[in-house]
Amino acid sequence: MARVTIRALFDSDQDLTLHEIVDRVAQLPGLRSAVAIFNGSFIASGHDSGSPDVAQFTASAPKSCEYLSGLAESMGYGSSGSFTLRAGTGLRTFFIENGRCLAVLHASTAFAPGVRDKLLLTVRTFGELAD
């Protein structure tokens, strides 16, 4: 079911690899970059990868996901949650689901319609796709 969900979310008639999924996430409206972390794997994608902001986001995302996972558990949310962080002019959102993390760097101040839902469904499918 996960592969069907991903094909529907990203308008594809073929199965996508995990790298292709992260590439498609980074190309969603209003996003600059995406990072997926799960099962010890780290996949990064961004259409502005030469930017210092994107490089810093990519470098810090694994540690941020780790800290935010701990925060979710300490607040009683278990191993799931989503966090949007604003600092200076930057905006980042982390979707954490059962040890998997999908982090995105925003290009705009809010999600375009439907983008947040696509991201939530995408991170939820990672468990099935990575097996």
Side-chain angles (χ1 to χ4, degrees):
M1 190 62 159
R3 298 229 176 257
V4 172
T5 301
I6 290 296
R7 287 195 308 261
L9 289 172
F10 296 105
D11 297 321
S12 176
D13 60 355
Q14 61 187 0
D15 288 342
L16 301 173
T17 67
L18 293 171
H19 283 81
E20 290 170 329
I21 293 167
V22 177
D23 285 342
R24 299 267 180 117
V25 166
Q27 295 170 19
L28 290 171
L31 301 181
R32 292 178 61 194
S33 183
V35 172
I37 302 159
F38 53 92
N39 297 344
S41 298
F42 175 83
I43 301 171
S45 179
H47 42 255
D48 190 13
S49 58
S51 160
D53 292 343
V54 171
Q56 198 281 329
F57 165 72
T58 302
S60 67
K63 188 61 99 176
S64 298
C65 285
E66 181 183 329
Y67 288 148
L68 291 170
S69 293
L71 180 62
E73 287 185 29
S74 73
M75 295 186 332
Y77 295 133
S79 58
S80 300
S82 64
F83 299 88
T84 298
L85 307 174
R86 300 174 199 272
T89 59
L91 186 64
R92 304 163 184 215
T93 299
F94 297 82
F95 298 91
I96 300 163
E97 187 79 26
N98 298 321
R100 299 176 299 272
C101 180
L102 178 62
V104 296
L105 179 63
H106 295 249
S108 57
T109 58
F111 285 111
V115 170
R116 182 180 191 78
D117 297 328
K118 282 185 179 187
L119 297 172
L120 284 168
L121 289 170
T122 299
V123 75
R124 289 178 181 161
T125 63
F126 279 162
E128 294 176 51
L129 295 173
D131 293 338

